[in-house]
Amino acid sequence: MSEMTGSDLSARSAESAASPRLMGAAFDWLARAQQEPRQAQQAWAEQGIALLPLGTRFNTVCLPARLVHSAVGTDDLGSVTATLAELLNGPVIHNHPQHQYYALVDCAPTLRWTREYGEAPMLGVGHFLTVPASDLRGPTGLYWAVLPRIVGDLCPVPSVAALVHIARSDARGRQR
């Protein structure tokens, strides 16, 4: 398997942007997290964001920017985005003002995850996530660092765990 370069990832992002049908289907799938999906679609159209409940279609892992930047080895947003696309292989939201990334993941048990990865809690049932519209792509405010590509596109939980482990290893290395 060949490694993806930054230009390959940009091309992949451009492919997603150039495929409105796939993008529309992916966002229709996200909207169905709500009992009334039209409300989410209307909120995206009118406000650029929609508040979606977690725990039915997907959960999210809250990744502090310092943890992500440590794992990636930089705080350069272009490099971070390209690396997240490659490492997590799924959609990631960046809340720039709050210095937080949100990896969308399967509905996995949150308690077990949070006990092991307390610095990057998983949120599920009973929580909501502010999800930006597909055209919000940064670099300020709330935006998609990595867009969903297809229906059901989520970051594999083991990939998110590996990112946290990389950040922990880096932090331990710096403490020595």
Side-chain angles (χ1 to χ4, degrees):
M1 183 165 112
S2 64
E3 263 186 57
M4 293 184 85
T5 65
S7 61
D8 293 332
L9 290 168
S10 295
R12 188 169 126 190
S13 294
E15 275 178 33
S16 292
S19 179
R21 195 149 116 244
L22 288 176
M23 184 67 62
F27 276 80
D28 286 346
W29 183 82
L30 289 172
R32 288 193 309 264
Q34 284 191 351
Q35 286 184 328
E36 294 294 328
R38 288 184 189 171
Q39 290 177 346
Q41 293 163 341
Q42 184 176 354
W44 281 322
E46 294 175 1
Q47 301 159 346
I49 59 171
L51 191 62
L52 300 181
L54 298 172
T56 56
R57 293 216 170 250
F58 58 91
N59 286 351
T60 190
V61 175
C62 305
L63 300 162
R66 64 173 170 64
L67 185 141
V68 170
H69 298 164
S70 176
V72 172
T74 183
D75 61 359
D76 174 73
L77 291 178
S79 297
V80 169
T81 297
T83 304
L84 287 176
E86 187 175 349
L87 288 179
L88 299 186
N89 195 32
V92 179
I93 296 169
H94 184 204
N95 187 327
H96 195 267
Q98 293 184 358
H99 309 290
Q100 193 80 9
Y101 290 85
Y102 298 92
L104 278 59
V105 298
D106 282 324
C107 293
T110 58
L111 186 58
R112 181 173 163 231
W113 170 275
T114 301
R115 272 197 303 258
E116 188 167 343
Y117 303 103
E119 70 273 29
M122 182 185 292
L123 302 178
V125 174
H127 294 273
F128 291 82
L129 180 65
T130 303
V131 177
S134 63
D135 62 342
L136 293 180
R137 299 186 186 155
T140 60
L142 180 74
Y143 68 92
W144 287 100
V146 182
L147 279 161
R149 300 159 295 190
I150 58 172
V151 170
D153 190 22
L154 297 170
C155 299
V157 172
S159 297
V160 179
L163 181 85
V164 175
H165 281 293
I166 292 167
R168 284 178 173 171
S169 296
D170 182 60
R172 277 187 285 244
R174 281 184 280 131
Q175 289 175 354
R176 289 184 184 161

